[in-house]
């Protein structure tokens, strides 16, 4: 694993000019190109919503009167923890639940903000835990009373690397059906999905959780939710384009940009 492959022939590639009259073939299924870029440390999106920067006070104003429900793995729990650390008025209600799985809840009484986090259901590779706290995202969405002030944020990818793609597809299809039901009942509910991201690759990670596995799942997630009234935060591109090393849990500068992107969907005309 992770060793260089020596070339057995020429180690260079010659690119020839296109011949005159040669037909130009354009793929109808494969598109390429970045979704954004960093300028002076700030993520700029190419197309779609404009990403604003939000200070702590601007975040409180944006989330005022809103309920934000987060579901997924530790990469979405980072967002929950970031908001708790950033907003002085947001206080976590200690339910004595495991840190990694939750469920967790934070409240800002003055601004009427509710923030929750819950881990997705198995497969999940956390230490031994009470299986009663593991709920499937689809079941949680079915039990949710949505409204225009409700924001649903979820991700599901990091724990599915060692499993066949069919298992991941079936899980996403189940969540998709739940999202459709939620939006049919309360069309004003905002649904935002965090994609996968590259990570540091040790020999163990390379075998079971390599970027190749995660990239394939990322493409499947985008395909399954295409056409629905949901928003994607392209964590893959945001980590790939940044100068900091890849990490399963991106460092704070990237997380801050992801939160700015999230808040720009919630409050498209606000910012610091």
């Amino acid at each position: 694993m992770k060793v260089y492959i020596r070339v057995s022939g020429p180690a260079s590639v010659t690119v020839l000019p296109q011949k005159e009259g040669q037909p130009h073939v354009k793929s109808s299924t494969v598109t390429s190109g970045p979704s954004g870029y960093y300028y002076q440390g700030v993520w700029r999106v190419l197309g779609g919503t404009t990403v604003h920067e939000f200070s702590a006070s601007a975040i409180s104003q944006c989330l005022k009167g809103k309920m934000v429900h987060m579901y997924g793995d530790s990469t979405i729990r980072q967002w929950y923890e970031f908001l708790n650390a950033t907003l002085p008025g947001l206080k976590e209600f200690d339910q004595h639940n495991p840190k990694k799985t939750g469920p967790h809840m934070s409240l800002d009484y003055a601004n009427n903000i509710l923030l929750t986090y819950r881990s997705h259901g198995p497969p999940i590779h956390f230490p031994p835990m009470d299986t009663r706290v593991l709920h499937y995202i689809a079941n949680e969405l079915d039990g949710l009373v949505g409204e225009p002030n409700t924001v649903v944020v979820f991700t599901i990818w990091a724990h599915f690397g060692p499993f066949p793609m069919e298992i991941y597809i079936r899980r996403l299809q189940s969540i998709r059906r739940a999202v459709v039901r939620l939006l049919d009942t309360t069309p004003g509910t905002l649904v935002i999905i965090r994609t996968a991201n590259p990570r540091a690759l040790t020999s163990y990670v390379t075998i079971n959780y390599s970027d190749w596995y995660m990239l394939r799942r990322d493409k499947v997630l985008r395909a399954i939710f295409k056409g629905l009234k949901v928003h994607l935060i392209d964590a893959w591109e945001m980590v790939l384009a940044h100068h900091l090393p890849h990490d399963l849990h991106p460092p704070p500068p990237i997380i801050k940009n992801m939160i700015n992107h999230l808040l720009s969907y919630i409050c498209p005309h606000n910012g610091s």
Side-chain angles (χ1 to χ4, degrees), residues 176-189:
R176 187 188 193 279
R177 290 191 292 267
V179 169
V180 169
R181 289 191 292 268
L182 177 63
L183 295 178
D184 283 345
T185 306
T186 51
T189 303

Side-chain angles (χ1 to χ4, degrees), residues 15-24:
V15 180
L16 301 175
Q18 184 176 357
K19 296 180 179 179
E20 186 176 350
Q22 182 177 348
H24 178 71

Side-chain angles (χ1 to χ4, degrees), residues 10 13-14 34 36 47 49 69 85 88-89 94 106 129 144 147 152 154 166 183 206 219 248 252 255-257 270:
V13 176
T14 303
T49 188
H69 302 287
D94 188 3
S106 296
M129 68 194 77
L144 193 64
E147 57 179 63
V152 172
F154 70 85
E166 290 77 8
L183 295 178
T206 302
K219 291 180 181 295
L248 172 63
I255 295 299
K256 185 178 188 305
N257 276 286
N270 293 7

Side-chain angles (χ1 to χ4, degrees), residues 86-229:
T86 302
L87 301 183
L90 194 63
K91 305 299 181 184
E92 186 167 7
F93 183 81
D94 188 3
Q95 303 179 75
H96 305 289
N97 291 322
K99 176 184 176 181
K100 292 188 175 182
T101 59
H104 301 308
M105 177 173 64
S106 296
L107 298 167
D108 182 339
Y109 288 102
N111 292 300
N112 195 27
I113 300 171
L114 171 66
L115 177 66
T116 69
Y117 162 77
R118 179 184 282 275
S119 172
H120 66 68
I124 199 157
H125 305 143
F126 289 152
M129 68 194 77
D130 188 343
T131 56
R132 290 175 295 182
V133 305
L134 295 179
H135 294 188
Y136 291 105
I137 294 176
N139 293 345
E140 287 294 303
L141 296 183
D142 283 338
L144 193 64
V145 179
E147 57 179 63
N149 289 325
T150 300
V151 181
V152 172
V153 187
F154 70 85
T155 191
I156 182 165
W157 61 278
H159 295 263
F160 282 79
F163 296 91
M165 182 65 79
E166 290 77 8
I167 293 177
Y168 187 60
I169 291 173
R170 286 199 296 270
R171 180 65 57 85
L172 292 184
Q173 288 173 333
S174 176
I175 297 172
R176 187 188 193 279
R177 290 191 292 267
V179 169
V180 169
R181 289 191 292 268
L182 177 63
L183 295 178
D184 283 345
T185 306
T186 51
T189 303
L190 185 64
V191 179
I192 300 168
I193 306 173
R194 182 203 190 279
T195 72
N197 62 259
R199 59 189 294 178
L201 296 177
T202 64
S203 295
Y204 168 75
V205 170
T206 302
I207 295 171
N208 294 299
Y209 302 94
S210 79
D211 286 348
W212 167 243
Y213 295 140
M214 296 304 115
L215 181 60
R216 293 179 64 211
R217 280 151 183 75
D218 185 62
K219 291 180 181 295
V220 166
L221 181 142
R222 294 168 192 261
I224 286 181
F225 287 95
K226 185 177 181 180
L228 287 188
K229 188 185 173 184

